[in-house]
């Protein structure tokens, strides 16, 4: 355990105010440590932030987020900062699939709804009632889920892709198209041929291991800033920590092989007893002195790859009725969101979301908006689109590929006092908000030599 703090009395500096950095700073402050959180941007939240859309004045998310009930670290953190009440979960895993169908007025929807109670048996019945793919594919899905949720670690190779894992689990084309592709892409933001089977299996085990209740999806009822980012910063300050926005770090100062502190973009040096970095890999590499970048683990960071996500907000003439979110089958866009369902704004747009290097999220900006308009017109017959705005995050996720897992670094580094956090570090999970918070906890544990906060319940209220 890296309990060593280099300059006693100096604060622990955390770099980056996304979920990883905020949770690390929060748990340190809660443990009574002096902590100083530095964020380059004007607003906290990192990739889970919101922004003010210029023309409407509305606060929109940098991309809609969904969370699972089986996200214990995230839900525990949201609970502690008073944000959990604004996270709305459905009563059970309830997915509507929307698809083109010439025989049904051009479009039809199919609902896969697990009962709120009933455990695995409820799951079996839900799959039987679902009118998505044929019976054979539904039986395959059931068998695949049960096997994947109960397989021991190491059942497939470390470098197994989702596609290969599905071969092993006997999954055919229809079950992939209807279930595994949308599910694994939502989890890994990669095509099945590239995504890590090990990560996917872990998520399946956490989501379905105790019955389908863990896979129930929820979304914030407020834009990210009000939902969690401001609350987290406020809690850190209330616990005695310092949070500084618009304060980019330029370099981590390492002397005599130990961390001494950080140099800010303006040239100011801040002494630190330890530095936790919670920034993505390329940003971290720029902070390190040139001479150590060629050494392990830093030299392998270039192997970690980002995945893009695009979100298109569409203002419709009349509101589009339907559930909060729908999975789109066989379309360039994978999800349709209706955030207005639980926000009190008459002018709330719907949103389409697409992710993955092979998706429209990687296309030129102009094509993104055109494609979103076309998809919405196709799938929402009669909808009149007044206006469309797209945002794209080129590095929405990191290191979810089968060939990248060996290069994700642990929290502790060879440099005493330098600790890593971020959704891309070795958390055992994909790059998600749950992974980011777990990385924040791991970083705190590496500094304190003790678990962050009180014992975290393995599952909360599933
Ligand atoms: C559109 C979109 C949709 C997503 N959907 C989901 C979802 O549905 N569910 C889910 O769980 N996850 C989702 N994710 C992923 C999730 O948002 C990320 O996994 C998570 O937010 C990453 O948190 P982080 O703290 O590791 O990194 P980040 O959020 O990237 O935080 C890093 C912070 O460091 C700051 N920084 C960088 N360099 C410096 C510097 N030199 N000095 C100071 N500060 C610096 C950055 O400004 C940033 O605020 C989505 C992401 C996107 C973009």
């Amino acid at each position: 355990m890296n309990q060593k703090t280099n300059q006693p009395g100096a604060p622990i500096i955390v770099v980056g105010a996304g979920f990883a950095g905020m949770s690390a700073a929060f748990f340190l402050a809660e443990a009574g440590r002096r902590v100083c959180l530095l964020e380059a941007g004007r607003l906290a939240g990192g990739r889970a932030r919101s922004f003010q859309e210029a023309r409407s004045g509305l606060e929109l998310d940098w991309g809609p987020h969904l969370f699972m009930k089986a996200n214990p670290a995230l839900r525990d953190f949201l609970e502690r900062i008073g944000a959990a009440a604004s996270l709305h979960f459905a009563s059970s895993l309830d997915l509507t699939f929307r698809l083109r169908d010439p025989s049904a007025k051009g479009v039809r929807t199919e609902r896969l709804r697990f009962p709120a109670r009933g455990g695995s048996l409820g799951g079996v019945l839900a799959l039987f009632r679902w009118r998505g793919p044929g019976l054979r594919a539904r039986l395959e899905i059931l068998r695949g889920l049960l096997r994947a949720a109960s397989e021991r670690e190491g059942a497939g190779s470390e470098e197994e892709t989702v596609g290969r894992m599905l071969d092993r689990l006997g999954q055919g084309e229809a079950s992939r198209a209807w279930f595994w592709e949308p599910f694994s892409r939502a989890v890994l933001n990669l095509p099945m041929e590239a995504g890590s089977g090990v990560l996917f299996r872990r998520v399946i085990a956490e989501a379905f291991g105790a019955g389908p209740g863990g896979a129930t999806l929820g979304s914030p009822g407020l834009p990210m800033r009000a939902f969690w980012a401001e609350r987290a910063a406020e809690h850190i300050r209330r616990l005695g920590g310092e949070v500084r926005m618009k304060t980019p770090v330029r370099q981590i100062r390492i002397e005599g092989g130990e961390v001494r502190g950080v140099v800010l973009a303006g040239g100011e040096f801040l002494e630190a007893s330890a530095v936790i970095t919670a920034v993505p890999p390329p940003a971290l590499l720029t902070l390190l002195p040139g001479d150590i970048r060629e050494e392990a683990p830093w030299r392998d960071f270039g192997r970690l790859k980002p995945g893009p996500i695009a979100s298109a907000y569409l203002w419709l003439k009349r509101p589009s009725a339907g559930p909060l979110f729908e999975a789109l089958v066989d379309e360039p866009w994978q999800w349709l969101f209706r955030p207005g369902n639980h926000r009190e704004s008459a002018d709330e747009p719907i949103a389409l979301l697409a992710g993955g290097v092979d998706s429209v999220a990687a296309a030129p900006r102009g094509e993104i908006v055109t494609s979103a308009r076309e998809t919405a017109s196709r799938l929402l017959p009669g909808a009149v689109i007044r206006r469309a705005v797209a945002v794209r995050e080129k590095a929405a996720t990191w290191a979810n590929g089968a060939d990248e897992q060996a290069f994700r670094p642990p929290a502790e580094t060879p440099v005493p006092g330098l600790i890593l956090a971020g959704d891309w570090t070795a958390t055992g999970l994909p790059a998600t908000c749950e992974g980011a918070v777990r990385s924040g906890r791991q970083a705190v544990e590496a500094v304190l030599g003790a678990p962050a906060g009180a014992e975290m319940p393995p599952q909360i209220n599933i």
Side-chain angles (χ1 to χ4, degrees), residues 60-67 87-88 94-96 98 182 186 217-221 224 309-316 319-328 333-343 348-355 375-376 379-380:
L60 302 176
D61 288 343
W62 191 238
H65 277 59
L66 287 176
F67 304 125
L87 179 57
H88 303 301
D94 186 350
L95 273 179
T96 298
R98 181 173 285 266
L217 296 170
S219 69
M224 289 295 183
I309 297 183
S311 312
Y313 288 97
L314 304 167
W315 280 262
L316 306 181
S320 150
L324 193 58
F325 49 84
E326 294 179 338
L328 309 181
W333 295 78
Q334 294 131 19
W335 294 92
L336 163 73
F337 288 81
R338 295 184 182 85
N341 278 17
H342 56 210
R343 292 188 191 162
E348 198 75 36
I350 62 160
L352 296 185
L353 185 134
T375 299
L379 292 183
L380 301 172

Side-chain angles (χ1 to χ4, degrees), residues 384-429:
V384 179
I385 301 163
R386 281 170 30 218
R387 197 158 79 82
V389 168
V391 289
R392 183 237 310 267
E393 174 66 59
K394 284 190 173 160
T397 55
W398 281 97
N400 287 338
D403 56 350
E404 297 168 75
Q405 298 313 304
F407 305 109
R408 292 174 71 182
E412 292 188 53
T413 74
V415 180
L418 179 55
I419 318 290
L420 306 183
D423 60 353
W424 57 279
T425 59
T427 62
L429 288 180

